[in-house]
Amino acid sequence: TAWNVQRRYQGQSDVPLSDVGRKQAEFLACRLADGKFDAIYASDLKRAWETASLIGKKVEAEIIAEPHLREMNFGIIEGLTFAEAQTRYPEEIAAWLKNYNQAPPDGEPLNAFSARVLSLLDDLQKKHIDKTILLVAYGGSLSEIIRLVLGLPAERCWAFAMDNASLSELVLGDDGYPLLKRLNETSHLATLEA
């Protein structure tokens, strides 16, 4: 989005894809065109929904809107650049960086964010056991899902790089142990000029 380029906190603000973002989504859709998905779930916010719609056309699948996939709500700092947030709310940012459960005012604490995506994971595992599903969302929510599945502590909540239109693959095997097969793959974007 334009906000990505401007380094703004997007969170749950409903920002549409930019022309570059749309092109990235088209490249991702082509990358996934041969995929077989039993279900596709996407955040109901514009930027993820548009990405999922482009993928859905390529794989001829219906997209299910899932608000639990929304990015973390950053409260009063949404729409601000990282620098603006630091300048306007230095104490709030410092408290949040020290303890992610102490969210900026009107924001979502990490434990609430984790509970939200965990409830989705539990639901998806019950509905789609032994199935292949695609989730289209954001770096925060997708990396939080991976963190939770891998059993990493809350302190590692931002441990994964998740570029726009990247592809990650997580397999939940019969032995109960998850396998992270792919993380933040962007090879399908290699020929895209920004």
Side-chain angles (χ1 to χ4, degrees):
T1 68
W3 283 20
N4 287 124
V5 175
Q6 297 164 4
R7 298 185 46 84
R8 293 186 184 279
Y9 286 98
Q10 291 183 95
Q12 295 186 13
S13 298
D14 206 6
V15 181
L17 289 177
S18 64
D19 290 341
V20 170
R22 202 166 296 105
K23 185 59 79 178
Q24 289 175 325
E26 289 169 2
F27 276 54
L28 177 60
C30 289
R31 167 71 170 79
L32 295 171
D34 294 331
K36 303 290 183 235
F37 302 103
D38 296 295
I40 301 176
Y41 290 85
S43 166
D44 57 342
L45 298 177
K46 290 175 188 171
R47 57 197 192 270
W49 190 258
E50 187 176 351
T51 300
S53 297
L54 290 166
I55 295 166
K57 288 176 188 172
K58 288 284 187 190
V59 300
E60 297 179 5
E62 180 184 352
I63 314 301
I64 301 162
E66 182 47 72
H68 283 83
L69 282 172
R70 286 182 177 191
E71 181 62 276
M72 179 183 271
N73 182 340
F74 295 116
I76 62 169
I77 64 173
E78 284 198 17
L80 299 179
T81 66
F82 299 164
E84 289 169 343
Q86 186 63 48
T87 300
R88 290 186 198 175
Y89 302 105
E91 293 173 11
E92 291 85 347
I93 296 291
W96 181 48
L97 293 176
K98 187 175 179 181
N99 177 359
Y100 291 119
N101 285 318
Q102 196 167 11
D106 301 324
E108 186 174 24
L110 178 62
N111 57 3
F113 178 56
S114 295
R116 172 164 56 89
V117 297
L118 188 58
S119 70
L120 172 65
L121 275 178
D122 290 342
D123 187 45
L124 293 177
Q125 284 182 319
K126 290 173 190 164
K127 285 182 183 175
H128 301 288
I129 194 160
D130 296 327
K131 303 290 184 190
T132 300
I133 62 171
L134 178 68
L135 304 178
V136 182
Y138 316 100
S141 50
L142 294 173
S143 62
E144 185 63 5
I145 287 170
I146 292 170
R147 182 190 73 78
L148 290 168
V149 170
L150 295 179
L152 298 175
E155 296 78 36
R156 301 304 313 258
C157 65
W158 306 113
F160 303 108
M162 299 292 259
D163 293 328
N164 294 329
S166 66
L167 180 62
S168 297
E169 184 178 0
L170 187 61
V171 177
L172 303 178
D174 294 336
D175 59 5
Y177 291 102
L179 174 64
L180 184 59
K181 289 184 71 170
R182 183 186 334 249
L183 179 67
N184 196 38
E185 183 198 322
T186 57
S187 61
H188 50 278
L189 302 177
T191 60
L192 180 65
E193 293 181 8

